[in-house]
Amino acid sequence: MKDHNMTRPNGYDYDTDLAPSPVSLAELELLKATVLWSDDDTRALRRAGTILGPKVEDVLDVWYGFVASSPHLVVSFAGSDGQPDGAYLGAVRQRFAKWIVDTCDRDYDQRWLDYQHEVALRHHVTKKNVTDLVASTAAYIPLRYLVAFIVPLTITIRSFLAAGASNADELDAMYNAWFKAVTLTAILWAQPYSEAW
Ligand code: HEM
């Protein structure tokens, strides 16, 4: 089994005791069914992990480039002066790298569900800025951008997967599985935002 904690970034609390997610495993199964999840997706994600794992820094360069060049997004990483906070961006980036690998490699079990809830709260007003002790002018990530992010986080991954795929079918399988995984994540992270979730 892989050691997911060889280098543990600050605030990467995956394998610690976390508050239980308000979402049940039964609800997760229904969500997975709704995004057309099958065991093939789990297998395709494991394979995607072997391709993306060594490339996480390149992937993050693309995503951080997009955020940095989008004033309406980078404002979420502002410090107390309203300007992008480099230390905050850097601290989150380390946990983001873990997320890419975890999304591919982890079992979507109770522990995974609990960490999704924790990260959901870190986007929500409940816990944003707490982990990295930032006095940010941004109190939360707007839900609309959380949902919209599914598109860039999906589309930009294709060329990375293509570089390691053995054939077109394998590429499609990995790409579709990644799309479903990011969508599932965004749905779970939307939970604290809506009583009608
Ligand atoms: C599908 C949508 C999104 C995904 C998958 C995603 C992914 C992540 C990950 C993996 C982390 C670190 C989690 C951890 O603490 O372990 C994080 C934190 C963060 N993300 Fe997102 N994110 C999404 C949407 C957004 C959007 C739209 C913004 C706005 C620019 C954003 C801004 C942030 C900020 C500021 C943090 C740090 C929050 C804190 O203070 O703890 N995220 N995100």
Tab-separated table of all heavy atoms in Angstrom, residues 11-68:
chain	number	residue	atom	x	y	z
A	11	GLY	N	-1.846	21.130	7.094
A	11	GLY	CA	-3.293	21.128	6.887
A	11	GLY	C	-3.812	19.955	6.076
A	11	GLY	O	-5.018	19.839	5.873
A	12	TYR	N	-2.906	19.086	5.643
A	12	TYR	CA	-3.369	17.913	4.891
A	12	TYR	C	-3.784	16.860	5.916
A	12	TYR	O	-2.972	16.084	6.397
A	12	TYR	CB	-2.265	17.396	3.971
A	12	TYR	CG	-2.641	16.144	3.216
A	12	TYR	CD1	-3.652	16.169	2.253
A	12	TYR	CD2	-2.010	14.930	3.468
A	12	TYR	CE1	-4.007	15.014	1.566
A	12	TYR	CE2	-2.349	13.779	2.795
A	12	TYR	CZ	-3.352	13.832	1.840
A	12	TYR	OH	-3.703	12.679	1.163
A	13	ASP	N	-5.061	16.882	6.271
A	13	ASP	CA	-5.549	16.122	7.422
A	13	ASP	C	-6.293	14.852	7.019
A	13	ASP	O	-7.156	14.368	7.756
A	13	ASP	CB	-6.481	17.019	8.266
A	13	ASP	CG	-5.716	18.196	8.853
A	13	ASP	OD1	-4.500	18.068	9.086
A	13	ASP	OD2	-6.333	19.263	9.058
A	14	TYR	N	-5.990	14.338	5.833
A	14	TYR	CA	-6.735	13.195	5.313
A	14	TYR	C	-6.794	12.041	6.307
A	14	TYR	O	-7.858	11.506	6.585
A	14	TYR	CB	-6.092	12.721	4.001
A	14	TYR	CG	-7.015	11.924	3.131
A	14	TYR	CD1	-7.381	12.376	1.870
A	14	TYR	CD2	-7.539	10.705	3.560
A	14	TYR	CE1	-8.235	11.652	1.068
A	14	TYR	CE2	-8.390	9.973	2.762
A	14	TYR	CZ	-8.737	10.444	1.511
A	14	TYR	OH	-9.575	9.725	0.724
A	15	ASP	N	-5.641	11.641	6.803
A	15	ASP	CA	-5.594	10.421	7.610
A	15	ASP	C	-5.682	10.686	9.102
A	15	ASP	O	-5.253	9.874	9.907
A	15	ASP	CB	-4.329	9.635	7.257
A	15	ASP	CG	-4.365	9.179	5.806
A	15	ASP	OD1	-5.230	8.350	5.473
A	15	ASP	OD2	-3.564	9.685	4.993
A	16	THR	N	-6.246	11.815	9.445
A	16	THR	CA	-6.433	12.119	10.862
A	16	THR	C	-7.914	11.915	11.206
A	16	THR	O	-8.737	11.644	10.326
A	16	THR	CB	-6.056	13.577	11.154
A	16	THR	OG1	-6.948	14.433	10.438
A	16	THR	CG2	-4.630	13.878	10.719
A	17	ASP	N	-8.228	12.051	12.485
A	17	ASP	CA	-9.631	11.931	12.892
A	17	ASP	C	-10.369	13.190	12.490
A	17	ASP	O	-10.070	14.275	12.966
A	17	ASP	CB	-9.722	11.759	14.417
A	17	ASP	CG	-9.358	10.346	14.823
A	17	ASP	OD1	-9.457	9.444	13.967
A	17	ASP	OD2	-8.958	10.154	15.991
A	18	LEU	N	-11.320	13.031	11.609
A	18	LEU	CA	-12.076	14.181	11.123
A	18	LEU	C	-13.534	14.049	11.540
A	18	LEU	O	-14.006	12.935	11.806
A	18	LEU	CB	-12.014	14.234	9.590
A	18	LEU	CG	-10.663	14.586	8.973
A	18	LEU	CD1	-10.672	14.268	7.487
A	18	LEU	CD2	-10.358	16.058	9.193
A	19	ALA	N	-14.221	15.180	11.538
A	19	ALA	CA	-15.662	15.125	11.780
A	19	ALA	C	-16.313	14.328	10.658
A	19	ALA	O	-15.897	14.427	9.497
A	19	ALA	CB	-16.222	16.543	11.818
A	20	PRO	N	-17.303	13.518	10.981
A	20	PRO	CA	-17.947	12.728	9.930
A	20	PRO	C	-18.702	13.611	8.942
A	20	PRO	O	-19.299	14.616	9.322
A	20	PRO	CB	-18.915	11.815	10.690
A	20	PRO	CG	-18.983	12.316	12.076
A	20	PRO	CD	-17.839	13.240	12.319
A	21	SER	N	-18.641	13.235	7.691
A	21	SER	CA	-19.389	13.972	6.673
A	21	SER	C	-20.884	13.844	6.937
A	21	SER	O	-21.355	12.778	7.340
A	21	SER	CB	-19.074	13.390	5.291
A	21	SER	OG	-19.976	13.902	4.338
A	22	PRO	N	-21.636	14.909	6.695
A	22	PRO	CA	-23.093	14.786	6.804
A	22	PRO	C	-23.679	13.957	5.661
A	22	PRO	O	-24.854	13.594	5.687
A	22	PRO	CB	-23.576	16.245	6.733
A	22	PRO	CG	-22.482	16.988	6.043
A	22	PRO	CD	-21.202	16.264	6.359
A	23	VAL	N	-22.849	13.674	4.656
A	23	VAL	CA	-23.297	12.858	3.525
A	23	VAL	C	-23.003	11.396	3.864
A	23	VAL	O	-21.889	11.069	4.286
A	23	VAL	CB	-22.554	13.257	2.230
A	23	VAL	CG1	-23.020	12.410	1.060
A	23	VAL	CG2	-22.728	14.744	1.950
A	24	SER	N	-23.994	10.538	3.691
A	24	SER	CA	-23.795	9.122	4.023
A	24	SER	C	-23.192	8.369	2.844
A	24	SER	O	-23.263	8.823	1.690
A	24	SER	CB	-25.133	8.489	4.405
A	24	SER	OG	-25.963	8.414	3.256
A	25	LEU	N	-22.639	7.206	3.136
A	25	LEU	CA	-22.104	6.364	2.061
A	25	LEU	C	-23.226	5.945	1.113
A	25	LEU	O	-23.000	5.814	-0.095
A	25	LEU	CB	-21.403	5.138	2.659
A	25	LEU	CG	-19.999	5.411	3.220
A	25	LEU	CD1	-19.519	4.221	4.049
A	25	LEU	CD2	-18.999	5.738	2.107
A	26	ALA	N	-24.428	5.767	1.641
A	26	ALA	CA	-25.568	5.403	0.772
A	26	ALA	C	-25.878	6.550	-0.187
A	26	ALA	O	-26.152	6.331	-1.380
A	26	ALA	CB	-26.783	5.073	1.630
A	27	GLU	N	-25.819	7.786	0.324
A	27	GLU	CA	-26.047	8.949	-0.560
A	27	GLU	C	-24.942	9.057	-1.602
A	27	GLU	O	-25.190	9.424	-2.757
A	27	GLU	CB	-26.137	10.237	0.275
A	27	GLU	CG	-27.440	10.362	1.040
A	27	GLU	CD	-27.439	11.507	2.051
A	27	GLU	OE1	-26.380	11.823	2.643
A	27	GLU	OE2	-28.531	12.076	2.262
A	28	LEU	N	-23.716	8.748	-1.184
A	28	LEU	CA	-22.604	8.770	-2.133
A	28	LEU	C	-22.836	7.752	-3.249
A	28	LEU	O	-22.590	8.047	-4.424
A	28	LEU	CB	-21.281	8.474	-1.400
A	28	LEU	CG	-20.042	8.355	-2.288
A	28	LEU	CD1	-19.761	9.667	-3.026
A	28	LEU	CD2	-18.817	7.945	-1.466
A	29	GLU	N	-23.308	6.576	-2.894
A	29	GLU	CA	-23.560	5.549	-3.921
A	29	GLU	C	-24.596	6.031	-4.926
A	29	GLU	O	-24.464	5.810	-6.135
A	29	GLU	CB	-24.024	4.236	-3.270
A	29	GLU	CG	-22.900	3.452	-2.618
A	29	GLU	CD	-21.662	3.293	-3.518
A	29	GLU	OE1	-21.807	2.827	-4.663
A	29	GLU	OE2	-20.554	3.662	-3.081
A	30	LEU	N	-25.633	6.721	-4.452
A	30	LEU	CA	-26.655	7.240	-5.370
A	30	LEU	C	-26.081	8.336	-6.262
A	30	LEU	O	-26.426	8.448	-7.442
A	30	LEU	CB	-27.862	7.764	-4.584
A	30	LEU	CG	-28.686	6.687	-3.870
A	30	LEU	CD1	-29.821	7.320	-3.065
A	30	LEU	CD2	-29.251	5.674	-4.869
A	31	LEU	N	-25.187	9.145	-5.680
A	31	LEU	CA	-24.535	10.189	-6.486
A	31	LEU	C	-23.658	9.559	-7.564
A	31	LEU	O	-23.664	9.994	-8.724
A	31	LEU	CB	-23.650	11.054	-5.588
A	31	LEU	CG	-24.250	12.327	-5.033
A	31	LEU	CD1	-23.230	13.018	-4.142
A	31	LEU	CD2	-24.667	13.255	-6.167
A	32	LYS	N	-22.910	8.532	-7.148
A	32	LYS	CA	-22.046	7.855	-8.122
A	32	LYS	C	-22.891	7.263	-9.253
A	32	LYS	O	-22.528	7.364	-10.433
A	32	LYS	CB	-21.211	6.769	-7.427
A	32	LYS	CG	-20.078	7.346	-6.592
A	32	LYS	CD	-19.467	6.336	-5.645
A	32	LYS	CE	-18.579	5.342	-6.340
A	32	LYS	NZ	-17.928	4.429	-5.356
A	33	ALA	N	-24.002	6.676	-8.899
A	33	ALA	CA	-24.888	6.122	-9.935
A	33	ALA	C	-25.378	7.232	-10.863
A	33	ALA	O	-25.513	7.044	-12.083
A	33	ALA	CB	-26.072	5.408	-9.284
A	34	THR	N	-25.579	8.409	-10.292
A	34	THR	CA	-26.121	9.532	-11.072
A	34	THR	C	-25.088	10.095	-12.051
A	34	THR	O	-25.453	10.607	-13.112
A	34	THR	CB	-26.629	10.631	-10.110
A	34	THR	OG1	-27.485	10.033	-9.145
A	34	THR	CG2	-27.394	11.716	-10.852
A	35	VAL	N	-23.802	9.998	-11.698
A	35	VAL	CA	-22.764	10.440	-12.655
A	35	VAL	C	-22.238	9.251	-13.482
A	35	VAL	O	-21.179	9.333	-14.089
A	35	VAL	CB	-21.589	11.194	-11.972
A	35	VAL	CG1	-22.080	12.455	-11.283
A	35	VAL	CG2	-20.813	10.300	-11.008
A	36	LEU	N	-23.012	8.168	-13.495
A	36	LEU	CA	-22.711	6.986	-14.327
A	36	LEU	C	-21.397	6.318	-13.942
A	36	LEU	O	-20.620	5.902	-14.798
A	36	LEU	CB	-22.682	7.355	-15.826
A	36	LEU	CG	-23.894	8.086	-16.383
A	36	LEU	CD1	-23.671	8.432	-17.856
A	36	LEU	CD2	-25.143	7.231	-16.224
A	37	TRP	N	-21.149	6.261	-12.641
A	37	TRP	CA	-19.908	5.659	-12.156
A	37	TRP	C	-19.980	4.143	-12.252
A	37	TRP	O	-21.010	3.542	-11.962
A	37	TRP	CB	-19.694	6.048	-10.685
A	37	TRP	CG	-18.317	5.743	-10.209
A	37	TRP	CD1	-17.846	4.529	-9.782
A	37	TRP	CD2	-17.222	6.652	-10.128
A	37	TRP	NE1	-16.522	4.646	-9.438
A	37	TRP	CE2	-16.113	5.936	-9.641
A	37	TRP	CE3	-17.083	8.017	-10.419
A	37	TRP	CZ2	-14.877	6.531	-9.432
A	37	TRP	CZ3	-15.860	8.612	-10.216
A	37	TRP	CH2	-14.766	7.866	-9.723
A	38	SER	N	-18.870	3.527	-12.658
A	38	SER	CA	-18.785	2.064	-12.610
A	38	SER	C	-17.385	1.668	-12.131
A	38	SER	O	-16.491	2.520	-12.024
A	38	SER	CB	-19.047	1.455	-13.987
A	38	SER	OG	-17.901	1.647	-14.802
A	39	ASP	N	-17.180	0.381	-11.915
A	39	ASP	CA	-15.862	-0.098	-11.482
A	39	ASP	C	-14.797	0.227	-12.524
A	39	ASP	O	-13.621	0.392	-12.193
A	39	ASP	CB	-15.893	-1.616	-11.229
A	39	ASP	CG	-16.701	-1.952	-9.987
A	39	ASP	OD1	-16.975	-1.032	-9.187
A	39	ASP	OD2	-17.066	-3.134	-9.825
A	40	ASP	N	-15.202	0.322	-13.786
A	40	ASP	CA	-14.241	0.688	-14.838
A	40	ASP	C	-13.654	2.076	-14.563
A	40	ASP	O	-12.486	2.332	-14.876
A	40	ASP	CB	-14.925	0.714	-16.216
A	40	ASP	CG	-15.246	-0.693	-16.690
A	40	ASP	OD1	-14.687	-1.652	-16.129
A	40	ASP	OD2	-16.064	-0.818	-17.624
A	41	ASP	N	-14.461	2.965	-14.002
A	41	ASP	CA	-13.951	4.313	-13.698
A	41	ASP	C	-12.890	4.262	-12.608
A	41	ASP	O	-11.886	4.972	-12.673
A	41	ASP	CB	-15.112	5.231	-13.284
A	41	ASP	CG	-16.046	5.492	-14.445
A	41	ASP	OD1	-15.576	5.993	-15.482
A	41	ASP	OD2	-17.244	5.168	-14.329
A	42	THR	N	-13.139	3.428	-11.602
A	42	THR	CA	-12.131	3.288	-10.537
A	42	THR	C	-10.820	2.797	-11.138
A	42	THR	O	-9.745	3.326	-10.836
A	42	THR	CB	-12.636	2.298	-9.461
A	42	THR	OG1	-13.940	2.722	-9.039
A	42	THR	CG2	-11.697	2.260	-8.269
A	43	ARG	N	-10.910	1.792	-11.996
A	43	ARG	CA	-9.691	1.258	-12.630
A	43	ARG	C	-9.013	2.311	-13.506
A	43	ARG	O	-7.790	2.468	-13.484
A	43	ARG	CB	-10.029	0.021	-13.476
A	43	ARG	CG	-10.150	-1.247	-12.656
A	43	ARG	CD	-10.272	-2.476	-13.555
A	43	ARG	NE	-11.581	-2.582	-14.178
A	43	ARG	CZ	-12.633	-3.140	-13.592
A	43	ARG	NH1	-12.543	-3.650	-12.395
A	43	ARG	NH2	-13.796	-3.197	-14.217
A	44	ALA	N	-9.807	3.047	-14.276
A	44	ALA	CA	-9.238	4.066	-15.169
A	44	ALA	C	-8.560	5.176	-14.365
A	44	ALA	O	-7.528	5.724	-14.776
A	44	ALA	CB	-10.334	4.641	-16.065
A	45	LEU	N	-9.141	5.496	-13.196
A	45	LEU	CA	-8.520	6.533	-12.352
A	45	LEU	C	-7.195	6.058	-11.774
A	45	LEU	O	-6.248	6.845	-11.667
A	45	LEU	CB	-9.462	6.919	-11.213
A	45	LEU	CG	-10.500	7.990	-11.542
A	45	LEU	CD1	-11.389	8.236	-10.326
A	45	LEU	CD2	-9.848	9.305	-11.963
A	46	ARG	N	-7.132	4.783	-11.397
A	46	ARG	CA	-5.859	4.255	-10.889
A	46	ARG	C	-4.777	4.411	-11.964
A	46	ARG	O	-3.651	4.801	-11.676
A	46	ARG	CB	-5.994	2.772	-10.506
A	46	ARG	CG	-6.948	2.499	-9.370
A	46	ARG	CD	-6.436	3.003	-8.017
A	46	ARG	NE	-7.294	2.530	-6.929
A	46	ARG	CZ	-8.333	3.181	-6.422
A	46	ARG	NH1	-8.633	4.381	-6.888
A	46	ARG	NH2	-9.061	2.673	-5.453
A	47	ARG	N	-5.128	4.100	-13.180
A	47	ARG	CA	-4.174	4.234	-14.290
A	47	ARG	C	-3.832	5.717	-14.509
A	47	ARG	O	-2.674	6.078	-14.708
A	47	ARG	CB	-4.798	3.615	-15.553
A	47	ARG	CG	-4.068	3.900	-16.829
A	47	ARG	CD	-2.899	2.938	-17.064
A	47	ARG	NE	-2.255	3.240	-18.339
A	47	ARG	CZ	-1.057	3.831	-18.458
A	47	ARG	NH1	-0.368	4.167	-17.387
A	47	ARG	NH2	-0.553	4.080	-19.648
A	48	ALA	N	-4.854	6.575	-14.449
A	48	ALA	CA	-4.619	8.016	-14.600
A	48	ALA	C	-3.645	8.514	-13.536
A	48	ALA	O	-2.798	9.369	-13.797
A	48	ALA	CB	-5.940	8.777	-14.514
A	49	GLY	N	-3.763	7.951	-12.342
A	49	GLY	CA	-2.877	8.360	-11.248
A	49	GLY	C	-1.416	8.097	-11.558
A	49	GLY	O	-0.544	8.885	-11.171
A	50	THR	N	-1.150	6.999	-12.274
A	50	THR	CA	0.245	6.692	-12.612
A	50	THR	C	0.788	7.701	-13.625
A	50	THR	O	1.986	7.940	-13.692
A	50	THR	CB	0.400	5.255	-13.188
A	50	THR	OG1	-0.265	5.190	-14.453
A	50	THR	CG2	-0.170	4.213	-12.242
A	51	ILE	N	-0.100	8.277	-14.421
A	51	ILE	CA	0.327	9.275	-15.419
A	51	ILE	C	0.424	10.662	-14.779
A	51	ILE	O	1.388	11.405	-14.994
A	51	ILE	CB	-0.671	9.300	-16.601
A	51	ILE	CG1	-0.677	7.943	-17.312
A	51	ILE	CG2	-0.354	10.437	-17.569
A	51	ILE	CD1	-1.771	7.789	-18.349
A	52	LEU	N	-0.585	10.998	-13.965
A	52	LEU	CA	-0.635	12.358	-13.407
A	52	LEU	C	0.317	12.528	-12.216
A	52	LEU	O	0.844	13.630	-12.007
A	52	LEU	CB	-2.062	12.697	-12.974
A	52	LEU	CG	-3.118	12.699	-14.088
A	52	LEU	CD1	-4.500	12.998	-13.501
A	52	LEU	CD2	-2.766	13.712	-15.183
A	53	GLY	N	0.528	11.458	-11.460
A	53	GLY	CA	1.367	11.552	-10.259
A	53	GLY	C	2.697	12.249	-10.509
A	53	GLY	O	3.036	13.234	-9.837
A	54	PRO	N	3.463	11.783	-11.501
A	54	PRO	CA	4.769	12.426	-11.752
A	54	PRO	C	4.645	13.816	-12.395
A	54	PRO	O	5.656	14.506	-12.543
A	54	PRO	CB	5.453	11.466	-12.748
A	54	PRO	CG	4.657	10.196	-12.718
A	54	PRO	CD	3.280	10.582	-12.334
A	55	LYS	N	3.433	14.198	-12.788
A	55	LYS	CA	3.238	15.468	-13.519
A	55	LYS	C	2.470	16.511	-12.710
A	55	LYS	O	2.041	17.537	-13.282
A	55	LYS	CB	2.468	15.202	-14.824
A	55	LYS	CG	3.211	14.307	-15.815
A	55	LYS	CD	4.270	15.111	-16.546
A	55	LYS	CE	5.122	14.205	-17.410
A	55	LYS	NZ	6.364	14.847	-17.837
A	56	VAL	N	2.256	16.256	-11.427
A	56	VAL	CA	1.382	17.162	-10.674
A	56	VAL	C	1.857	18.613	-10.724
A	56	VAL	O	1.035	19.530	-10.839
A	56	VAL	CB	1.170	16.741	-9.194
A	56	VAL	CG1	0.213	15.598	-9.068
A	56	VAL	CG2	2.466	16.460	-8.502
A	57	GLU	N	3.155	18.823	-10.674
A	57	GLU	CA	3.630	20.211	-10.672
A	57	GLU	C	3.320	20.893	-12.013
A	57	GLU	O	2.986	22.085	-12.050
A	57	GLU	CB	5.120	20.283	-10.353
A	57	GLU	CG	5.461	19.877	-8.913
A	57	GLU	CD	4.700	20.676	-7.852
A	57	GLU	OE1	4.480	21.894	-8.066
A	57	GLU	OE2	4.303	20.091	-6.821
A	58	ASP	N	3.422	20.141	-13.113
A	58	ASP	CA	3.082	20.709	-14.427
A	58	ASP	C	1.586	21.018	-14.521
A	58	ASP	O	1.179	22.046	-15.064
A	58	ASP	CB	3.475	19.729	-15.551
A	58	ASP	CG	4.977	19.478	-15.574
A	58	ASP	OD1	5.737	20.391	-15.209
A	58	ASP	OD2	5.386	18.365	-15.931
A	59	VAL	N	0.777	20.101	-13.982
A	59	VAL	CA	-0.676	20.336	-13.976
A	59	VAL	C	-0.982	21.588	-13.150
A	59	VAL	O	-1.749	22.475	-13.576
A	59	VAL	CB	-1.434	19.114	-13.394
A	59	VAL	CG1	-2.916	19.418	-13.237
A	59	VAL	CG2	-1.224	17.881	-14.267
A	60	LEU	N	-0.350	21.681	-12.001
A	60	LEU	CA	-0.619	22.830	-11.123
A	60	LEU	C	-0.127	24.136	-11.734
A	60	LEU	O	-0.737	25.189	-11.516
A	60	LEU	CB	0.011	22.590	-9.741
A	60	LEU	CG	-0.738	21.532	-8.920
A	60	LEU	CD1	0.072	21.110	-7.694
A	60	LEU	CD2	-2.100	22.062	-8.476
A	61	ASP	N	0.945	24.078	-12.513
A	61	ASP	CA	1.382	25.290	-13.217
A	61	ASP	C	0.260	25.808	-14.126
A	61	ASP	O	0.002	27.017	-14.201
A	61	ASP	CB	2.629	25.001	-14.071
A	61	ASP	CG	3.907	24.948	-13.221
A	61	ASP	OD1	3.872	25.370	-12.054
A	61	ASP	OD2	4.930	24.479	-13.758
A	62	VAL	N	-0.407	24.881	-14.813
A	62	VAL	CA	-1.504	25.275	-15.719
A	62	VAL	C	-2.658	25.871	-14.913
A	62	VAL	O	-3.166	26.952	-15.228
A	62	VAL	CB	-1.992	24.059	-16.538
A	62	VAL	CG1	-3.237	24.422	-17.341
A	62	VAL	CG2	-0.883	23.550	-17.457
A	63	TRP	N	-3.067	25.182	-13.855
A	63	TRP	CA	-4.218	25.645	-13.073
A	63	TRP	C	-3.917	26.955	-12.337
A	63	TRP	O	-4.751	27.859	-12.299
A	63	TRP	CB	-4.657	24.566	-12.070
A	63	TRP	CG	-5.232	23.351	-12.742
A	63	TRP	CD1	-5.607	23.242	-14.061
A	63	TRP	CD2	-5.490	22.070	-12.160
A	63	TRP	NE1	-6.079	21.974	-14.311
A	63	TRP	CE2	-6.023	21.236	-13.168
A	63	TRP	CE3	-5.332	21.547	-10.877
A	63	TRP	CZ2	-6.388	19.906	-12.931
A	63	TRP	CZ3	-5.701	20.229	-10.635
A	63	TRP	CH2	-6.225	19.427	-11.656
A	64	TYR	N	-2.738	27.039	-11.764
A	64	TYR	CA	-2.385	28.269	-11.051
A	64	TYR	C	-2.227	29.431	-12.042
A	64	TYR	O	-2.544	30.581	-11.711
A	64	TYR	CB	-1.125	28.059	-10.210
A	64	TYR	CG	-1.439	27.676	-8.779
A	64	TYR	CD1	-2.126	26.503	-8.482
A	64	TYR	CD2	-1.085	28.498	-7.715
A	64	TYR	CE1	-2.445	26.162	-7.173
A	64	TYR	CE2	-1.398	28.159	-6.388
A	64	TYR	CZ	-2.071	26.992	-6.130
A	64	TYR	OH	-2.390	26.665	-4.833
A	65	GLY	N	-1.737	29.119	-13.239
A	65	GLY	CA	-1.644	30.158	-14.270
A	65	GLY	C	-3.018	30.719	-14.604
A	65	GLY	O	-3.191	31.942	-14.751
A	66	PHE	N	-3.984	29.822	-14.708
A	66	PHE	CA	-5.357	30.233	-15.008
A	66	PHE	C	-5.921	31.105	-13.882
A	66	PHE	O	-6.486	32.182	-14.122
A	66	PHE	CB	-6.224	28.982	-15.229
A	66	PHE	CG	-7.689	29.253	-15.364
A	66	PHE	CD1	-8.180	30.099	-16.355
A	66	PHE	CD2	-8.606	28.644	-14.501
A	66	PHE	CE1	-9.545	30.347	-16.474
A	66	PHE	CE2	-9.965	28.878	-14.615
A	66	PHE	CZ	-10.437	29.740	-15.601
A	67	VAL	N	-5.724	30.660	-12.652
A	67	VAL	CA	-6.243	31.436	-11.515
A	67	VAL	C	-5.538	32.797	-11.439
A	67	VAL	O	-6.188	33.847	-11.286
A	67	VAL	CB	-6.079	30.651	-10.192
A	67	VAL	CG1	-6.380	31.540	-8.984
A	67	VAL	CG2	-7.000	29.425	-10.177
A	68	ALA	N	-4.216	32.771	-11.584
A	68	ALA	CA	-3.449	34.016	-11.442
A	68	ALA	C	-3.840	35.049	-12.493
A	68	ALA	O	-3.817	36.252	-12.233
A	68	ALA	CB	-1.955	33.718	-11.547
